[in-house]
Amino acid sequence: MKNNDRIKKKDISNSGMIHNLVNSNAIEVKDLKKYFAEKKKMDDVKAVDGISFHVKNGEIFGLLGPNGAGKTTTINILTGMHSPTEGTAVVGGYNVKTNLKRIKEIISVCPQEPAVIKFLSGLGNIKFFGKLYLMSKEQITERSEKLLKLLGLYDARKRLAKSYSGGMLRQLSLIISLISEPDILFLDEPTVGMDPRNRRKVWEFLGSIKQQKRTIILTTHYIEEAEELCDRVAIIDYGKLIAIGPPKKLIEEHEVKNLEEVFMKITGRRILEGM
């Protein structure tokens, strides 16, 4: 079977359409590279420099590293924002080079910068994006009310988004990314700016998504977030993958207290460096 052939079966549930992958990997990356040309320099910037990993269907997989390490560039390749310079990336059984349209049907993205329309209310934003996903009015109403309550934004749903705090905009952006109930969800620093209480609500909700066998790829600078949520993490630095495995296993292997200390031990710098 060709790499760009889809391997899946479909199941219709009361909550909408859910695609269950037959193969065990939701994402497969091999020798992935992304170079950006610098006009004033002779050498290209190696944002992603030959990384390989896989994400199992239904797991929460963390990408850790300081700013500029290559995390967001990797996500941008997997979601079709950038084309790879070299290597292979397969998402949900589809090759990003040949079947990007199919990939976009089964994924959703919560970007670093909240993608919301400021002159609409929180609920208005959700309805707008729900319609873009071709969801029915009933689906949008049911899911938006549930998500607004679960993620602590229900009381502010009728306020204009331009009046929201940074943390509230993050909550709204996360709800928008979840409204279509995607098979594979990419979360790029989703809880930045949230207060501890709402961050904990997000953690609990993401844990419930995992129980539905949906796949989550998470980037975060919060070490406790990765340790709490992720089945496995990949540590990236200077565009290279330098460690991968379950958080507890990495901590035990390097005989340290947490993932921050793992990163310091193998790179000589902190994950938060450069923020």
Side-chain angles (χ1 to χ4, degrees):
M1 182 172 284
K2 297 178 181 179
N3 284 338
N4 61 356
D5 286 337
R6 174 65 166 151
I7 308 173
K8 71 176 183 180
K9 59 183 178 179
K10 295 181 180 179
D11 172 56
I12 306 298
S13 71
N14 291 331
S15 60
M17 184 174 290
I18 300 175
H19 307 275
N20 295 314
L21 302 186
V22 175
N23 57 323
S24 60
N25 293 333
I27 294 173
E28 297 177 354
V29 172
K30 185 175 182 181
D31 299 325
L32 192 65
K33 298 180 181 180
K34 180 61 180 181
Y35 299 163
F36 293 99
E38 283 283 341
K39 294 181 179 179
K40 297 181 180 180
K41 297 180 180 179
M42 295 296 292
D43 298 327
D44 291 341
V45 174
K46 298 178 179 179
V48 178
D49 194 15
I51 65 174
S52 298
F53 64 88
H54 70 274
V55 179
K56 298 175 183 177
N57 184 36
E59 81 172 331
I60 300 180
F61 185 86
L63 287 176
L64 303 182
N67 284 354
K71 307 183 305 297
T72 297
T73 301
T74 299
I75 285 182
N76 285 342
I77 292 172
L78 295 174
T79 57
M81 298 296 290
H82 294 321
S83 58
T85 302
E86 295 180 23
T88 303
V90 176
V91 179
Y94 292 128
N95 192 304
V96 297
K97 293 181 180 179
T98 57
N99 261 316
L100 189 56
K101 182 179 179 180
R102 293 290 190 180
I103 290 173
K104 290 186 176 181
E105 292 175 355
I106 60 170
I107 70 170
S108 189
V109 184
C110 183
Q112 279 189 357
E113 295 299 324
V116 303
I117 302 171
K118 296 292 184 70
F119 61 82
L120 291 179
S121 67
L123 184 57
N125 268 277
I126 298 168
K127 289 181 177 179
F128 174 80
F129 284 99
K131 290 177 181 178
L132 291 182
Y133 285 120
L134 303 180
M135 295 170 58
S136 69
K137 183 178 179 180
E138 291 73 20
Q139 284 179 318
I140 295 172
T141 299
E142 179 183 352
R143 295 179 193 175
S144 61
E145 184 168 338
K146 175 182 177 182
L147 290 169
L148 284 164
K149 290 179 178 179
L150 284 171
L151 295 176
L153 206 59
Y154 187 79
D155 290 342
R157 69 192 184 283
K158 295 183 179 180
R159 285 171 48 187
L160 294 183
K162 66 180 182 181
S163 70
Y164 282 12
S165 67
M168 293 169 71
L169 288 173
R170 287 279 182 179
Q171 289 168 267
L172 178 57
S173 186
L174 180 57
I175 290 171
I176 290 170
S177 70
L178 291 163
I179 194 68
S180 65
E181 297 190 342
D183 292 339
I184 302 172
L185 179 62
F186 293 87
L187 303 178
D188 199 359
E189 302 287 347
T191 61
V192 170
M194 290 186 189
D195 60 55
R197 180 181 178 184
N198 284 325
R199 184 177 299 134
R200 177 62 63 174
K201 286 183 179 180
V202 171
W203 292 4
E204 292 173 355
F205 183 73
L206 294 181
S208 70
I209 292 179
K210 178 186 172 184
Q211 294 177 2
Q212 300 170 15
K213 302 300 181 182
R214 300 181 189 276
T215 304
I216 300 173
I217 295 83
L218 171 73
T219 74
T220 180
H221 282 101
Y222 295 118
I223 293 300
E224 68 277 15
E225 188 164 87
E227 292 184 14
E228 174 84 14
L229 294 174
C230 294
D231 299 292
R232 291 185 303 135
V233 298
I235 297 177
I236 300 176
D237 196 23
Y238 297 112
K240 292 184 177 294
L241 180 64
I242 55 177
I244 189 169
K248 289 184 179 180
K249 184 177 180 181
L250 291 175
I251 292 168
E252 291 173 358
E253 286 179 352
H254 292 278
E255 299 179 338
V256 293
K257 296 179 180 178
N258 54 43
L259 286 175
E260 173 74 23
E261 292 187 10
V262 171
F263 194 84
M264 288 183 65
K265 186 172 183 178
I266 60 182
T267 70
R269 59 184 183 145
R270 300 177 65 239
I271 289 180
L272 293 175
E273 185 176 317
M275 288 191 69

